Amino acid sequence: MTTLTLADVHALHEKVRAERPLVHNITNFVAMNIAANVLLAAGASPAMVHSMDEVEDFGRIARALTLNIGTLSSDWIAGMKLAASVYKAAGKPVVFDPVAVGATRLRNTAAADLVAMGPTVIRGNASEIMALSGVAGLASKGVDSSASSNAALDSAVALAQSSGAVVAVTGEIDYVTDGTRTVAIEGGHELMPLSTALGCSLTGLVGAFVAVAPAFEGTVAALSVYAAAGAIAGKRVKGPGFLPQELCDSLYALDLAGLEANAAIREV
């Protein structure tokens, strides 16, 4: 395969900026504001819409859907399932973020049901992807909050093969795989895990990129842009408190030179 270059990534980011795709996000209470700002800064248009009564209307006008199970309730689960069915029927991408899957039976059941509906992309941290592999019917490795993305790579490949989704596992090094192709993305900053909702916001950004590009390429591009912006933002702050604001500013101003200086892509 031919890996995307950072010039390709920049071209896709410019496409997001030009087309401003509307992304429908059913995300958690903690992430809503930050995720919306990240999408706006990157050039997309966010809709943070949860009501089942609006799902079908937004399914006609939005170009991608993201689902995040961070703050679950029975009503939200029902809304996520309805939204997934609407977007799948319309041939539009669905990005699933299995927050804290493995922690409770409710999350495991909801995640298994949503994976069975065939999301386009699954994005999670190492422990989530490892746990979700077990939920999807593979041998469970449990949830380990200290797990590295390297440790989850085999689980990510297996999950991609079993689900048919592109799987992104994020951490110190990010990986994107469709079960056959695997790409590693380097960048970001050590402060990013200390600022809440940045992972959830990345899921929204993936939604924006897969709205304008094929799933694998769009996911690689989204993670690369985020890695570069995170690296730039991390250098500007003294701690995690102002990191979301600096991240948004970095996304807004990111150009090819910034990408090339702060992110790298390689085949695995």
Side-chain angles (χ1 to χ4, degrees), residues 5-268:
T5 66
L6 289 170
D8 297 328
V9 168
H10 178 63
L12 288 179
H13 193 189
E14 289 298 290
K15 189 174 183 182
V16 170
R17 287 165 165 159
E19 298 185 15
R20 297 193 64 82
L22 177 62
V23 182
H24 178 181
N25 304 276
I26 304 181
T27 191
N28 65 74
F29 290 119
V30 177
M32 287 184 200
N33 185 66
I34 298 171
N37 283 336
V38 162
L39 280 166
L40 287 167
S45 178
M48 321 310 277
V49 177
H50 297 77
S51 173
M52 291 180 68
D53 296 331
E54 293 188 299
V55 162
E56 293 184 280
D57 288 338
F58 268 90
R60 285 190 284 271
I61 60 175
R63 292 178 58 182
L65 169 71
T66 76
L67 304 173
N68 177 302
I69 63 171
T71 50
L72 278 182
S73 71
S74 297
D75 288 345
W76 277 29
I77 293 170
M80 288 179 184
K81 291 179 179 178
L82 176 60
S85 66
V86 167
Y87 281 80
K88 289 287 291 182
K92 297 178 180 180
V94 176
V95 182
F96 175 46
D97 189 336
V99 176
V101 66
T104 68
R105 285 175 290 178
L106 177 66
R107 288 176 188 279
N108 291 352
T109 300
D113 290 346
L114 289 168
V115 170
M117 296 185 75
T120 312
V121 181
I122 300 170
R123 191 224 64 88
N125 64 31
S127 60
E128 291 161 353
I129 295 301
M130 292 166 74
L132 191 59
S133 294
V135 171
L138 303 175
S140 177
K141 296 183 179 179
V143 177
D144 183 356
S145 61
S146 63
S148 70
S149 52
N150 289 335
L153 183 54
D154 288 346
S155 293
V157 172
L159 180 60
Q161 291 171 344
S162 67
S163 67
V166 169
V167 175
V169 54
T170 53
E172 185 174 353
I173 299 173
D174 298 336
Y175 294 98
V176 178
T177 181
D178 61 4
T180 301
R181 301 174 290 173
T182 302
V183 166
I185 299 147
E186 298 181 24
H189 195 274
E190 61 186 7
L191 287 174
M192 294 178 78
L194 301 180
S195 188
T196 190
L198 294 192
C200 301
S201 299
L202 173 55
T203 298
L205 189 64
V206 171
F209 274 78
V210 299
V212 304
F216 185 84
E217 289 79 4
T219 303
V220 171
L223 269 61
S224 301
V225 163
Y226 208 66
I232 295 168
K235 297 170 187 174
R236 295 176 179 169
V237 298
K238 296 179 180 179
F242 288 98
L243 190 59
Q245 294 93 321
E246 290 290 352
L247 177 65
C248 287
D249 287 353
S250 298
L251 283 168
Y252 179 79
L254 190 65
D255 57 14
L256 179 57
L259 266 173
E260 291 179 335
N262 293 282
I265 306 171
R266 58 180 170 83
E267 294 181 17
V268 176

